[in-house]
Amino acid sequence: DAGITQSPRHKVTETGTPVTLRCHQTENHRYMYWYRQDPGHGLRLIHYSYGVKDTDKGEVSDGYSVSRSKTEDFLLTLESATSSQTSVYFCAISDLQGNYGYTFGSGTRLTVV
Amino acid sequence: DQQVKQNSPSLSVQEGRISILNCDYTNSMFDYFLWYKKYPAEGPTFLISISSIKDKNEDGRFTVFLNKSAKHLSLHIVPSQPGDSAVYFCAASASGGGADGLTFGKGTHLIIQP
């Protein structure tokens, strides 16, 4: 979707290194979310934000931190990457209006070796 | 403990027939339910939703049915088309809008056979 972009699209990193994934939106939506998708687990919520500098933990937040200094950007940081964090990461945005559907980005495929 | 369950990892349906995807939930606080469709290498896209005050919602070829007493919902696609081949995720919200995130099932891979 043109209103939300994730970067990078693919990344390979070494165990123990910090990694930051970026989600950028042009929709001015208040709510932003980070999910990870793994085989056999579906989509699981990592962290979410309900405004600038307002964030909270999701179901699988251990080993991750987030920051939102501007409405349009939501950063996900793996403080010290582990192989268990190899996954596809999706960012989503919402204004919780209408059908309450989230708009998802195209994903970042992260491989920790 | 999984609160949203999609017990069929895959489903194969002939083109033109009806596809029925099922979803069960355990959290009685869920009051809003959504279906998402996902193609490989793309993000999920919103398909259809239903509030707990309704038992049916229809949008073109897609209909979602909600049975609150059974904590069960289903997505019907009629008629099924080749472009419907994708992974379908059921999702639920307990906050009346998903402000604190949606809970997703593991997904069902729908394959439409020509």
Side-chain angles (χ1 to χ4, degrees):
Chain A
D1 195 290
I4 177 172
T5 55
Q6 292 184 232
S7 58
R9 290 297 311 275
H10 302 271
K11 185 170 182 65
V12 179
T13 192
E14 292 186 351
T15 298
T17 60
V19 177
T20 296
L21 309 183
R22 182 186 185 225
C23 178
H24 178 78
Q25 61 146 328
T26 58
E27 304 296 322
N28 200 36
H29 285 346
R30 177 181 174 186
Y31 300 90
M32 299 185 76
Y33 307 85
W34 278 107
Y35 281 85
R36 60 179 288 177
Q37 185 194 7
D38 304 289
H41 288 279
L43 290 154
R44 293 181 292 173
L45 181 65
I46 305 171
H47 281 279
Y48 63 99
S49 170
Y50 43 93
V52 173
K53 296 187 179 179
D54 289 324
T55 65
D56 208 343
K57 296 179 179 180
E59 177 189 357
V60 290
S61 60
D62 287 348
Y64 302 94
S65 62
V66 289
S67 66
R68 191 168 178 201
S69 59
K70 304 185 284 187
T71 298
E72 57 265 36
D73 288 324
F74 192 30
L75 304 180
L76 176 71
T77 297
L78 288 65
E79 293 139 8
S80 177
T82 67
S83 58
S84 65
Q85 293 176 311
T86 292
S87 185
V88 181
Y89 291 85
F90 289 101
C91 176
I93 61 174
S94 178
D95 59 0
L96 298 188
Q97 300 297 316
N99 57 40
Y100 302 131
Y102 292 3
T103 300
F104 281 84
S106 298
T108 294
R109 180 173 292 278
L110 176 69
T111 302
V112 183
V113 297
Chain B
D1 183 33
Q2 218 185 349
Q3 299 185 68
V4 177
K5 301 177 183 180
Q6 293 177 258
N7 293 320
S8 298
S10 66
L11 175 67
S12 183
V13 175
Q14 202 165 10
E15 182 179 356
R17 306 295 288 268
I18 183 171
S19 295
I20 300 176
L21 294 89
N22 293 304
C23 177
D24 297 294
Y25 61 96
T26 58
N27 188 340
S28 58
M29 298 301 290
F30 286 147
D31 61 0
Y32 203 81
F33 304 89
L34 308 91
W35 284 94
Y36 281 82
K37 176 180 180 180
K38 185 183 181 304
Y39 292 119
E42 295 183 10
T45 55
F46 170 77
L47 195 56
I48 192 170
S49 61
I50 187 167
S51 165
S52 59
I53 63 173
K54 295 185 176 182
D55 54 18
K56 176 182 175 182
N57 187 26
E58 190 172 356
D59 183 1
R61 296 186 298 114
F62 303 93
T63 302
V64 56
F65 296 91
L66 175 62
N67 182 334
K68 281 174 293 188
S69 61
K71 292 190 175 67
H72 176 82
L73 62 154
S74 61
L75 174 68
H76 292 212
I77 306 174
V78 185
S80 300
Q81 299 175 352
D84 297 330
S85 293
V87 177
Y88 290 78
F89 290 100
C90 173
S93 165
S95 59
D100 55 356
L102 298 175
T103 301
F104 285 83
K106 294 181 179 181
T108 295
H109 185 195
L110 176 64
I111 302 163
I112 305 301
Q113 305 277 8

